[in-house]
Amino acid sequence: MSGLAVSLDARGVKVYSMTSYKALPAWLSEGQRRKLRKDDDFRRRVQLLNGFDFPTASQKVRMTPDGSCVIVTGTYPPGVKIYELEEMGLKVERRLDCEAVDFRILSEDFSKLVFLLADRTVAFHAAYGKHYSLRIPRFGRCMDYQPASCDLLLGGAGDEVYRLNLDEGRFQEPLKVPFEGVNSLSLSPVHHLIAAGGEGYVHFVDPRSRA
């Protein structure tokens, strides 16, 4: 565990220095840990993940909904690393068949993941490793997941957003957009409105509408 010591240099610029602190005892109760939140040194501490890097570059970083793990994709070679925050270290490292364009977490923890790969492959991973893979008609650029309908949305080259229903295990009718090339997808957690972005365009789709 490390903390930040803050000081000012001769020009009045803040200088942050890493300083060493003792790790918290594992036997501390939840009440004692809550009391530490009022301690200035404790609030300023910085915890470093061991081995939090890739040989060449990292691409996407996401945290599991339960806050237990950080998942990172990177290259080279293409792979995914799962870091456990409680232990502050690497939990799982896996190789991917090719570079990951995007990925999503389908569960509260790291046990269900889906990767959109650069060769048009959509790869599903479980806690034990790779579970299943399939290919989409065109090269993908982005993806998102709609929990209410179990639809995995996949955007890429062309004017369609592919919809793969994970409950039924089949593709639904794709969503059409009025432009070529879907570069990003985002879903509202409130009313599930879908936003698709392209070069100079943003298009909204309401999945509740049949029009």
Side-chain angles (χ1 to χ4, degrees), residues 127-163:
Y128 53 80
K130 185 177 179 180
H131 175 70
Y132 183 74
S133 64
L134 55 87
R135 300 192 102 187
I136 55 176
R138 299 195 179 189
F139 290 100
R141 300 178 184 174
C142 57
M143 69 192 315
D144 212 336
Y145 179 60
Q146 194 173 38
S149 62
C150 295
D151 280 346
L152 182 66
L153 304 177
L154 301 145
D159 61 350
E160 292 181 331
V161 175
Y162 304 114
R163 294 192 300 158

Side-chain angles (χ1 to χ4, degrees), residues 96-115:
L96 299 173
D97 294 335
C98 70
E99 183 179 334
V101 177
D102 202 355
F103 78 95
R104 282 293 182 270
I105 302 167
L106 304 178
S107 58
E108 287 297 307
D109 55 13
F110 73 94
S111 61
K112 293 180 182 179
L113 307 173
V114 58
F115 299 90

Side-chain angles (χ1 to χ4, degrees), residues 28-44:
L28 278 182
S29 67
E30 187 60 32
Q32 290 172 314
R33 289 176 184 269
R34 280 198 298 268
K35 287 180 181 178
L36 283 174
R37 294 174 186 170
K38 299 178 182 179
D39 184 272
D40 287 339
D41 287 339
F42 180 78
R43 287 192 294 112
R44 286 201 304 263

